[in-house]
Amino acid sequence: SPDILPTSMASILTTSEDAWAILKHLYSFYLYLFQKKIQPTLQRRGLAAIAHFLFGPPRLYQQLQSERDLALAIAQCGLDNNEKVHMRILQTIYKKLTGSRFDCARYGSHWENLGFQGLDPGTDLRGTGLLGLMQILYFVMDSRILPIAREIFRLSHHETQNFPFCVMSVNITRIVIQVLREERLSRECNRRQQVIAVLNDLYVAVFLRLFNIWKTQQKTICDSGFVLKDLEMFAKRNPKQLLKHLEMYMNGCTVLAGEDGFQAHASEVLGSNINSLITDNKGLTFTGIGDLPVEREQES
């Protein structure tokens, strides 16, 4: 069992919006320093660029591009032990998934129980950075979707269908980042006049799809690579459909499991009380964990 820390260090966030608000405010100040490290869109050349211009999705509105860049900047930021907000995000995720009332140690085997690969969660965030952690936080802090997050977490500990929950989550964040960079979300972001909220909804929608495919098709860890590849292809082709299914789930409608991999029931959409504790808005700094890979489409 994890080491118990003093109560004075207990700290879970009131809502995921608290953490996002802190990050938006603080990272926006530093964003201009890291503009050159961000690759906001997929680089296309030759006929691929012409075809995308003529037949591709619409461009993201200019007033939303800074929020897109902010999300990608957060994905460049590593976990910092000196930042209280970072540590509180970790503790909140641990408490929400396990139901524990106590803080746990920064390092230890209890993180493996959550589905990280080792004793330090920070080592699994390469490629998604703090954004990978923030999306798990979003998943467990919304009382409407917390029940499905816990159901997926339980499935991840199944005797035969187990999988590393948090590592799978980080892979889903990676998929969401790629969908954003390929401009597949621009239409929905423009419609809603938001970027990060759309990213979070797509993350939940992809995770919900994975859950139903994994459960109904009896997938195991040996299938994970194929499942993730199919998820990425589907998310890039049908982000609107994924978001629509999520909306139906959130409204309590039943979506029958089929080739879409969804099976949501109104009875699963339950409320959950969220403890109110203080947050800390101490400045956050970029630690640099390597740029997101730049992918190029070859000329036809």
Side-chain angles (χ1 to χ4, degrees):
S1 61
D3 298 334
I4 304 302
L5 301 182
T7 342
S8 59
M9 294 185 67
S11 48
I12 70 170
L13 302 168
T14 307
T15 66
S16 60
E17 284 76 16
D18 291 338
W20 279 113
I22 293 169
L23 290 175
K24 282 183 180 181
H25 174 73
L26 295 167
Y27 281 109
S28 294
F29 180 75
Y30 298 105
L31 181 58
Y32 72 97
L33 296 174
F34 299 91
Q35 287 282 7
K36 292 183 179 180
K37 295 183 66 177
I38 296 171
Q39 294 290 343
T41 58
L42 188 69
Q43 295 182 357
R44 298 175 173 87
R45 295 184 299 179
L47 293 179
I50 296 172
H52 180 76
F53 177 78
L54 294 175
F55 309 111
R59 293 181 62 85
L60 188 68
Y61 289 161
Q62 187 173 1
Q63 63 265 31
L64 297 176
Q65 291 177 12
S66 60
E67 187 179 352
R68 174 202 62 196
D69 293 351
L70 175 62
L72 295 175
I74 294 173
Q76 295 289 332
C77 173
L79 190 63
D80 189 343
N81 290 340
N82 296 319
E83 296 297 346
K84 291 183 180 180
V85 171
H86 292 208
M87 297 302 103
R88 290 181 175 184
I89 292 169
L90 267 183
Q91 296 294 341
T92 301
I93 291 170
Y94 176 81
K95 290 178 180 179
K96 286 293 182 180
L97 287 176
T98 64
S100 173
R101 295 185 298 115
F102 302 101
D103 278 5
C104 62
R106 170 65 179 83
Y107 304 97
S109 59
H110 47 282
W111 296 116
E112 293 177 322
N113 185 53
L114 260 63
F116 288 105
Q117 289 183 313
L119 308 182
D120 178 11
T123 60
D124 288 329
L125 301 178
R126 294 183 182 91
T128 66
L130 200 61
L131 183 64
L133 213 55
M134 290 298 298
Q135 294 208 304
I136 303 176
L137 179 72
Y138 175 76
F139 205 10
V140 301
M141 289 298 287
D142 190 321
S143 61
R144 298 169 300 168
I145 56 177
L146 177 59
I148 191 62
R150 286 178 170 165
E151 184 68 20
I152 297 173
F153 184 63
R154 281 192 291 271
L155 179 63
S156 74
H157 287 82
H158 189 274
E159 184 179 355
T160 58
Q161 290 187 270
N162 60 82
F163 59 87
F165 177 88
C166 287
V167 170
M168 193 70 79
S169 172
V170 168
N171 275 282
I172 292 174
T173 297
R174 180 191 58 79
I175 290 172
V176 167
I177 290 173
Q178 285 302 111
V179 176
L180 175 68
R181 292 180 63 235
E182 292 190 16
E183 301 175 88
R184 309 283 183 170
L185 285 178
S186 296
R187 192 183 305 276
E188 183 65 16
C189 291
N190 291 344
R191 185 183 72 82
R192 290 171 54 175
Q193 292 291 298
Q194 295 174 307
V195 176
I196 289 177
V198 175
L199 277 181
N200 286 338
D201 284 349
L202 183 63
Y203 161 84
V204 175
V206 174
F207 221 146
L208 184 59
R209 173 178 168 81
L210 177 140
F211 168 66
N212 283 286
I213 289 175
W214 203 273
K215 189 171 184 178
T216 59
Q217 298 181 20
Q218 300 294 304
K219 298 297 185 182
T220 68
I221 192 63
C222 297
D223 303 308
S224 59
F226 302 104
V227 172
L228 285 169
K229 184 177 180 180
D230 289 345
L231 279 173
E232 182 167 359
M233 292 176 62
F234 190 90
K236 288 178 179 180
R237 290 197 311 265
N238 306 289
K240 184 177 179 180
Q241 185 177 346
L242 281 165
L243 292 169
K244 181 64 176 178
H245 282 149
L246 176 64
E247 182 183 357
M248 293 172 66
Y249 175 85
M250 300 290 276
N251 290 334
C253 299
T254 299
V255 183
L256 296 178
E259 63 175 309
D260 290 342
F262 281 94
Q263 187 178 28
H265 299 282
S267 60
E268 293 176 338
V269 187
L270 305 173
S272 175
N273 292 328
I274 298 177
N275 295 328
S276 296
L277 292 170
I278 61 171
T279 58
D280 191 324
N281 62 353
K282 185 180 178 181
L284 308 179
T285 56
F286 288 90
T287 55
I289 56 171
D291 298 339
L292 291 172
V294 180
E295 299 181 12
R296 300 175 183 269
E297 291 189 4
Q298 301 298 325
E299 290 190 42
S300 302

